[in-house]
Amino acid sequence: MSGTGYQGKNSIPHLTSERLLIKGGRVVNDDQSFFADVYIEDGLIKQVGENLVVPGGVKVIEVNGHMVIPGGIDVNTCLMKPYLGTNPVDDFLQGTKAALAGGTTMIIDHVTPQPGDSLLDAFECWQEAADKKACCDYSLHVDIPQWNETVKDELELLVHEKGINSFQVYMAYKDVYQMSDSELYEAFSFLKQLGAVVLVHAENGDLIAQEQRKILGMGITGPEGHPLSRPEELEAEAVFRAITLGNRVNCPVYITKVMSKSAADTITQARRKGSVVFGEPITASLATDGSHYWSKNWAKAAAYVTSPPLSPDPTTPDHLHTLLACGDLQVVGSAHCTYSTSQKAIGKDDFTLIPEGTNGVEERMGFVWDKAVAMGKMDENQFVAVTSTNAAKIFNLYPRKGRIAVGSDADIVIWDPNSVKTISAKNQQSASEYNIFEGLECRGGPVLVLSQGQVVYEEGKLQVQQGTGRFIPRKHFPDHAYQREAEQEAVTRGMYDGPVYDVVPTPKYITPAPSAKSSPTSHQPPPIRNLHQSNFSLSGAQTDDNVPRRSGHRIVGPPGGRSNITSLG
Amino acid sequence: MSYQGKKNIPKITSDRLLIKGGRIVNDDQSFHADIYLEDGVIKQIGDNLIVPGGVKTIEANGKMVIPGGIDIHTHFQMPYRGTTTVDDFAQGSKAALAGGTTMIVDHVIPEPGSSLMEAYDQWRQWADEKACCDYSLHVDITHWNDSIKQEVDNLIKEKGVNSFQVYMAYKDYYQMSNSELYEIFTFLAERGGIVQVHAENGEIIAEEQARMLQMGITGPEGHVLSRPEELEAEAVFRAITIASQTNCPLYVTRVMSKSAADIISQARKRGNVVFGEPITASLGTDGTHYWSKNWAKAASFVTSPPLSPDPTTPDYLNTLLSSGDLSVTGSAHCTFSVSQKAIGKDDFTQIPEGVNGVEERMTLIWDKAVTTGKMDENMFVAVTSTNAAKILNLYPRKGRIAVGSDADLVIWDTDSLRTITAKTHNSVAEYNVFEGMELRGAPLVVICQGKIVLEDGNMHVTSGVGRFIPCAPYPDYAYKRVKARKQLAVLRAVPRGMYDGPVSEFSMSRGGTPSASARTSPTKQPVRNLHQSGFSLAGNPASGHGLLRKPI
């Protein structure tokens, strides 16, 4: 793995001289935990073990038995998603700062081109912005806003030359991003050939459009209309359909933002049947619920607006944690996409116009610890798996990211399971006025965060440098997602050479290859029937004589008369 | 309800019949009693009946007397690209009667773009001319617009049709989009209709068909390969979702696979009003025959959704039928001759779809479900007759042996054993998909409209005696729950103070949004009154929400 060139950017002063020794920690990977020291040099993990021989004068961090875990990977952020001309308040700088403060050392952001835009241009625009501002390593997903031929070429280029292996398609947002089932089928087939991971925003957009109209017609214009017009059934339905499509074209499917119990259950059932499907709950769905949409405070209610919406069922977070703990859901994202209250207020008279997105990049790891590990649902290894390792595997970053091992990147977090913190908008890194987790207590948090071998967060203080984040290219065909293939074969039979009804040339449905109207076409056997070779029998004595045939219909038969015989050629 | 027969048919009303010594089996109970029939109606039930002299008596000798079967799904005399199915209403209803089914419900299939009303009249004419037993009609909605709405309205109010089928398959032909389905479901829910769906994902099928043909698979096996059961399950799931959003009762025609049946039973457990209809073929045979080397045989199994290649499917469906998770059985009897099937000899997508089953339906369920101990005789009556009558709002006129009900009765012989074969069946098709199966249980005597039509193995049918039975909207069986939920499911907006904070500048470039809001901030006065603002940063979470969620 170390063979792949880790090219940093030339313009950035590299901090490679930094040498660090983490002493006395308990290294926790997704498969095991063990006591070991970790020696870091040039942003890489050079040695893991006890009694390491290290150069003199190395900075030593004593961790006194605390957990040493791979830095978190947040697979879903939108730090630059434009909405009607405005951008989220957390850009790559603000967003990555918040990520690091929460123990996340890598983000994968969504490039969201508008329909008609070039994917490549959008990608370059995002990369440029991130290179300037990001404080931690990042990678990019590219969203496909529409399906056509030019998109195909761009996708190929992105996969082969730009290091992108994951693309998102939308089943919602009718008349904007939404794709039809046929388009999805084509997109899935194409992306499968490229060896990419298909991310799906799963909601039934047609029904949402109808429901929105209905709800607005009833005079409901506030944020409560958002969950009312997007009931969780529509999410479950789309998840089911996406999985069906994935199975058909034999393509791994990754469901972004699993927000409801029924959607999660659908994923679980599909995995039981052997489908290759991954589910990503987000911080918001794991830590809060949709009852806040009915808040009397408009701004607060609007802060929770995201799609699919948070489920009004308060038992949802608990259920999702259970599935995360048992491996039915695999990775945790944050879908961090924050708009200020005045931006949200674009939809003050019409909930369909409220920009969608919640915060969560900073709180992500803390809440998984608090709600799953501290509650005894999950062990610390599974914690590492869902917050970091699985993401690295699915998106082909493993073992460079997501593991503490020799040769891996020195993205390391010292985790304190006992710290308690009350979430509040007052002391968060994000620039938004609201925090949807306001007032919640969260056990577990990072004490110290290393990104690229550099201490970036220590005892509540961030020391970051804008623009140090590198773009991490990802190869196609991740092993974790790509395997299994089935084949189908035609049955070899003799040509049917019996009579064929002459049909009116109105095709039943548009079929790719219309069949010839007459009987056997080319391989016509000699006109003498060989009855010994026939395997056809009309089970018995009845003939066609009593068949009521309408006059005026011609029966085309082979020379020698009408026959019902199928002979094996 | 007025039971108007047709005037031009010689009525058989003089027939009087006494069935003695039988065991009456309804869907709720079985009991020993005699039955006296007159004028095509059951007049008396009980012991020691006082009947006029000279009445013909049938000795049932303790055998079961059950309500005549109702086959809720047939396609007799169905036009297909200039030809019609080989079993017309005469032949088809004769086969039905031979199997103990005394009423059929046929599907009217208008061509896309043509009038539903004209198609309905056409079917009525065909059936009135030829049917040997009573019938009703479903009308298929093959396209959707305002004039169709009007016609559907008329059909419900004036023509006695309460069930309409829509298609999720047959892309670019019958297929409806999700939005159209939503509108149709809403429309029918308001008018008390039953929505039937042909549930398969047509878009994926079209893609798969293209792929199969490209791979060189042109035989009947391509049919099942391009329509895997998952696509059926997916469409069933989607249909249930839409029905639950629109609070509309849903009827899934032709449940062919285990996964589709599972989706239905899960939905019923969640409380959705959904009915599943397995057909004779899916209950009796499986899709392994699509790989037969004999093209004609393989083609005779072609129907949509296809029979599942999983040979455990029939057993599983019979189990769900017994447990009540599936509600009714049809036959989807739609027979084409071999030469008609051969339209698709080089391209499986052109093979006309349909299998036989109207005659075998009741016998097959008896054999596969009752004799195996899955189902009792009362449940047998429920799934072959009573439930169908309830869904169509014909109960208790049909589907029950009770005073005042129509005299459609079957004396059922549980011991008979016969082998199904195309040699002896009443359909004119050359193939029988159940060929060679030995089935226990068969009708001994069939009485239709108070007249004996099958006795001692001999049929005495008269073409044209079948009456059209109008079905009223809002069947209680489906709509009682729906009506109750409608009253509960009232959504309310949250009363809040106006948001009067700042609003970001934005450009309305996003298409397809229902309404555009004003760009500027407070619409009233530009001066903010902070005391009246309902806005606070980090507000208190104590706000209760005044919402009544739908109970489901």
Side-chain angles (χ1 to χ4, degrees), chain B residues 16 88 149 424 495 499:
Chain B
R16 292 170 177 182
D88 61 5
K149 270 188 192 174
T424 56
Y499 174 85

Side-chain angles (χ1 to χ4, degrees), chain A residues 300-482:
Chain A
K300 186 183 171 195
Y304 288 82
V305 170
T306 186
S307 285
L310 287 157
S311 166
D313 177 352
T315 61
T316 305
D318 196 53
H319 188 78
L320 295 182
H321 275 293
T322 306
L323 295 185
L324 199 57
C326 74
D328 281 345
L329 299 173
Q330 290 71 38
V331 286
V332 182
S334 68
H336 189 89
C337 181
T338 47
Y339 292 99
S340 68
T341 299
S342 65
Q343 287 173 317
K344 290 264 182 188
I346 290 170
K348 70 188 170 55
D349 300 323
D350 177 354
F351 65 86
T352 65
L353 293 173
I354 301 173
E356 294 168 353
T358 54
N359 63 302
V361 71
E362 185 175 353
E363 298 83 1
R364 187 179 68 100
M365 297 187 62
F367 274 120
V368 176
W369 186 272
D370 180 78
K371 305 246 174 216
V373 187
M375 301 291 286
K377 283 183 197 283
M378 193 187 270
D379 63 20
E380 56 191 22
N381 303 102
Q382 180 71 4
F383 172 74
V384 169
V386 299
T387 54
S388 176
T389 313
N390 289 349
K393 285 179 176 169
I394 292 171
F395 296 110
N396 226 356
L397 295 163
Y398 189 79
R400 179 178 175 183
K401 301 281 184 190
R403 187 168 186 83
I404 295 183
V406 174
S408 298
D409 278 4
D411 289 351
I412 292 175
V413 172
I414 315 293
W415 190 259
D416 178 6
N418 300 317
S419 82
V420 179
K421 175 178 163 189
T422 305
I423 308 290
S424 165
K426 285 172 207 145
N427 49 28
Q428 69 183 2
Q429 295 295 331
S430 163
S432 64
E433 304 104 317
Y434 265 88
N435 188 315
I436 59 167
F437 312 107
E438 187 73 35
L440 291 177
E441 281 204 350
C442 179
R443 275 160 296 178
V447 198
L448 187 128
V449 178
L450 294 179
S451 170
Q452 301 177 25
Q454 269 265 357
V455 178
V456 291
Y457 177 84
E458 197 173 3
E459 286 165 15
K461 280 196 182 142
L462 273 174
Q463 309 144 14
V464 296
Q465 205 177 339
Q466 186 171 343
T468 49
R470 301 165 298 180
F471 173 72
I472 312 286
R474 295 172 291 132
K475 285 196 172 162
H476 52 148
F477 288 111
D479 280 345
H480 197 64
Y482 270 93

Side-chain angles (χ1 to χ4, degrees), chain A residues 143-155:
Chain A
D143 293 8
I144 307 175
Q146 65 186 39
W147 188 250
N148 55 39
E149 287 302 315
T150 54
V151 165
K152 281 189 186 177
D153 296 338
E154 292 192 315
L155 289 177

Side-chain angles (χ1 to χ4, degrees), chain B residues 177-253:
Chain B
S177 72
N178 290 338
S179 307
E180 286 169 330
L181 290 173
Y182 186 98
E183 281 177 26
I184 294 171
F185 283 35
T186 311
F187 184 82
L188 286 174
E190 282 165 6
R191 282 158 185 79
I194 301 280
V195 173
Q196 302 191 315
V197 285
H198 177 112
E200 278 185 295
N201 188 318
E203 303 215 2
I204 305 183
I205 289 172
E207 299 280 347
E208 292 279 324
Q209 284 180 335
R211 190 167 70 93
M212 290 299 150
L213 289 173
Q214 204 181 14
M215 287 165 72
I217 300 179
T218 58
E221 71 277 12
H223 180 71
V224 63
L225 290 175
S226 62
R227 305 177 102 103
E229 68 175 76
E230 235 183 331
L231 305 193
E232 187 191 347
E234 188 280 318
V236 170
F237 196 108
R238 187 150 39 100
I240 290 172
T241 304
I242 300 173
S244 132
Q245 284 310 306
T246 53
N247 203 9
C248 174
L250 180 72
Y251 179 107
V252 180
T253 59

Side-chain angles (χ1 to χ4, degrees), chain A residues 182 224 233 247 294 434 491, chain B residues 203 221 230 244 494 536 545:
Chain A
S182 304
E224 71 275 16
E233 234 182 333
N247 287 348
W294 282 266
Y434 265 88
V491 174
Chain B
E203 303 215 2
E221 71 277 12
E230 235 183 331
S244 132
V494 175
S536 84
H545 37 91

